[in-house]
Amino acid sequence: VADVEVIKTSDDSTVIAGGGVTYRLTVVNHGPSDATAVTATDSLPTALTVTSVDLACTASGHTVRCALGTIAAGKAVTVVITATLDPSFQGTSLANTATATSPVTDPDESNNSSTITTPVETRADLSVTKTSDPAGVTPGSAFAYTIVVNNAGPSTARAVVLSDTVPAGLAVSSASNGCTVKGSAVTCQLGDLPIGQVVVVLHVRLAAGYEGASIVNTATATSHTTDPDPSNNSGTAESPVTALADLAITKTMSPAAPVAGHSVKYVLTVKNNGPSHARMVTITDELPRGLTNVTTTGSTCKLLPPEAPGAPDTPAAGTVQCSTPELAVGGTVTVTVTATVVPGFTGALNNLARVGSATPDPVIANNEAKVTGRTTQSANLSVHKTASASTVIAGHSLVYTIAVHNAGPSSAGAVTITDVLPNGLRLTSTPEHCAANGQKVTCSVGRIDPGTTAQVVVNVLVDPTYSGTSVANTATAQSPTPDPDPNDNTSTVRVQVTPPQPGRPAPELPNTGSDVSPAVLLAALALIAAGVAAIATTRRRRG
């Protein structure tokens, strides 16, 4: 007869779900006989997984059997069993029963089994890490936050919630499944999280006008399960912020071929293609030579004077500089520059405009715009010819005045006046800057600016034998500068001619307006005869 008793204890007063537990089974033989072929059996709860047993024991699934052999009366044998509790175990306690048997008759079988109940607690160490992709962000651009929620155990974390209130300047465009977005608050119901990790992705966009040097965002995970280390339950990403604004400038010129003396208009348009707002935008237009009367409309602009004025026909126009404190993404600024092409300018107008900003520009190829237009000329010349008298006596002089006026808008270059005298008229003197070839008088008056008049005076004598009743004289002006109305480039004046009066010989020289009487002529002849006689007498005396 052998009274066998089983005593079961645990080294752990509390078992943590996901943690380990150590059981000790002690089999005592109270005698009076030795107990032979003693076997101890421990059927572990299904939530436990055996991790180790003594050499005398074997484990099969959740059952551990220990062959203890003979236990002498008054002796005891102890075996150790270690196991791990399932991390997802949700009970508050864990009961484990062990039993010992022997073929020897046991007078008291009530003590052949022993049960121990151990309180169970849960612990889940959650941690959060957060990163942005890309690490550096740009106002106006989209990027993503990757949030990793890790459960280091030992237990399953129950009812995990991830919360992220994005800072001002960020707008959430989408989030992973299980997340809701309400304004700036993002809440993700992650449910029960076993040991391991879950990844949440937030897609956000930074406001184009964000001015900070960095953007800081923090996400926090909470759970109903006690966390042994709450210090790592939040993850923060600080992303450096670099603004970028792609400013593009375009420029037009109208008309494409300006006429010297007329106006020309330049229209500058600057657009911000983003992604960020552009700060302290400056537009610079280096005006070409040959412009005057510059005015601007649009943004805040000023005309910077040139370093040197330049020549009259190629004056330096200066530089137009415009500024605006901020240009939003997608916004445009338009500047209109109007000027007058000086009348004497010829050649091309090459105009270059630039745009810049205090905000870095990722695309500099579109920061300049150039337009070129070759000027044209147009000078409306008109000729007006007058005579000194409406009637002239044959054999007397006549004065023609030829006036060439330029109505513009351009300067007329290399102007020539041609006057072909009709038969019956003779040129008595060649005017300045003129040349005569037979009856043709050609005068090179050169350049005539808009609003001015060049004048040539032609003195002629009417042939005393001229038998016509009138004489018509035509003058023509020409210039290589295009004339929009050549119909008025010729002018004709007609003068009535009367025959000489009887007894009044026609003068050989131009008529001065004073007639010579016969008495005066006789006195002059007498003086000439007396002079000749005096010379003859003097010569005879010398001889």
Side-chain angles (χ1 to χ4, degrees):
V1 175
D3 182 11
V4 176
E5 180 184 8
V6 178
I7 302 171
K8 185 169 187 177
T9 61
S10 172
D11 290 356
D12 307 286
S13 59
T14 302
V15 179
I16 305 298
V21 61
T22 300
Y23 291 113
R24 297 182 183 275
L25 282 70
T26 302
V27 179
V28 181
N29 182 6
H30 294 290
S33 303
D34 294 341
T36 61
V38 177
T39 299
T41 302
D42 191 347
S43 295
L44 299 176
T46 56
L48 288 175
T49 300
V50 177
T51 55
S52 67
V53 294
D54 281 355
L55 292 176
C57 304
T58 59
S60 177
H62 294 86
T63 301
V64 178
R65 290 183 173 83
C66 302
L68 304 181
T70 300
I71 301 177
K75 300 297 182 178
V77 176
T78 300
V79 294
V80 177
I81 301 172
T82 61
T84 300
L85 182 57
D86 188 342
S88 62
F89 185 76
Q90 298 188 59
T92 58
S93 62
L94 188 66
N96 190 1
T97 301
T99 303
T101 61
S102 173
V104 179
T105 302
D106 191 325
D108 183 9
E109 293 183 352
S110 63
N111 58 1
N112 285 23
S113 296
S114 177
T115 298
I116 184 171
T117 299
T118 308
V120 175
E121 297 180 354
T122 54
R123 298 283 188 274
D125 181 14
L126 294 179
S127 62
V128 178
T129 57
K130 185 172 190 177
T131 57
S132 68
D133 182 22
V137 298
T138 300
S141 63
F143 64 100
Y145 283 117
T146 299
I147 307 170
V148 178
V149 181
N150 185 69
N151 179 13
S155 308
T156 296
R158 303 293 178 183
V160 177
V161 177
L162 179 68
S163 301
D164 189 346
T165 300
V166 298
L170 280 181
V172 180
S173 54
S174 65
S176 296
N177 290 336
C179 299
T180 59
V181 180
K182 186 176 182 180
S184 61
V186 180
T187 304
C188 303
Q189 303 289 345
L190 304 182
D192 294 343
L193 180 60
I195 296 173
Q197 65 184 31
V198 64
V199 177
V200 173
V201 177
L202 300 183
H203 293 279
V204 297
R205 182 177 294 275
L206 185 59
Y210 187 80
E211 297 183 12
S214 64
I215 187 79
V216 179
N217 190 9
T218 299
T220 301
T222 59
S223 170
H224 293 169
T225 304
T226 303
D227 194 320
D229 181 14
S231 64
N232 57 1
N233 285 23
S234 295
T236 298
E238 182 173 3
S239 307
V241 175
T242 302
L244 295 174
D246 175 19
L247 295 179
I249 185 170
T250 57
K251 188 171 189 178
T252 61
M253 174 183 181
S254 61
V259 177
H262 277 179
S263 64
V264 60
K265 181 171 71 173
Y266 297 103
V267 178
L268 290 69
T269 303
V270 175
K271 183 178 181 181
N272 182 6
N273 295 322
S276 310
H277 291 352
R279 315 283 181 188
M280 299 176 63
V281 178
T282 301
I283 305 168
T284 304
D285 189 355
E286 300 173 1
L287 298 176
R289 289 181 176 272
L291 299 182
T292 187
N293 301 327
V294 179
T295 60
T296 62
T297 60
S299 181
T300 304
C301 298
K302 58 184 178 180
L303 179 63
L304 304 179
E307 295 181 359
D313 286 341
T314 57
T319 301
V320 174
Q321 191 174 79
C322 309
S323 61
T324 186
E326 181 179 273
L327 183 58
V329 175
T332 58
V333 172
T334 300
V335 175
T336 301
V337 180
T338 303
T340 301
V341 183
V342 294
F345 182 83
T346 59
L349 294 171
N350 298 317
N351 193 354
L352 179 67
R354 297 183 178 90
V355 65
S357 167
T359 305
D361 193 322
V363 182
I364 62 174
N366 56 5
N367 290 169
E368 290 186 354
K370 182 178 181 180
V371 291
T372 298
R374 180 163 291 277
T375 58
T376 59
Q377 286 70 43
S378 177
N380 185 11
L381 297 179
S382 61
V383 180
H384 181 64
K385 186 172 187 177
T386 60
S388 58
S390 61
T391 303
V392 65
I393 300 173
H396 285 221
S397 62
L398 189 63
V399 179
Y400 288 113
T401 300
I402 306 170
V404 180
H405 180 73
N406 182 7
S410 308
S411 296
V415 178
T416 60
I417 301 173
T418 303
D419 189 350
V420 179
L421 300 177
N423 294 331
L425 296 182
R426 177 167 57 88
L427 184 69
T428 59
S429 63
T430 303
E432 186 179 4
H433 305 302
C434 298
N437 184 8
Q439 292 294 93
K440 184 178 181 179
V441 179
T442 303
C443 303
S444 300
V445 298
R447 168 172 158 172
I448 304 178
D449 288 327
T452 63
T453 302
Q455 185 171 285
V456 172
V457 177
V458 180
N459 293 286
V460 299
L461 182 69
V462 182
D463 190 334
T465 64
Y466 185 76
S467 59
T469 59
S470 66
V471 61
N473 190 3
T474 299
T476 301
Q478 290 180 319
S479 169
T481 305
D483 193 321
D485 181 16
N487 294 325
D488 56 359
N489 288 18
T490 298
S491 177
T492 299
V493 61
R494 182 176 293 275
V495 176
Q496 300 299 317
V497 178
T498 60
Q501 298 178 6
R504 296 183 61 183
E508 294 296 329
L509 297 175
N511 185 12
T512 62
S514 299
D515 294 332
V516 180
S517 67
V520 173
L521 291 175
L522 290 174
L525 292 174
L527 288 174
I528 292 172
V532 171
I535 292 172
T537 301
T538 302
R539 286 179 176 174
R540 284 195 300 268
R541 288 176 181 176
R542 289 179 180 176

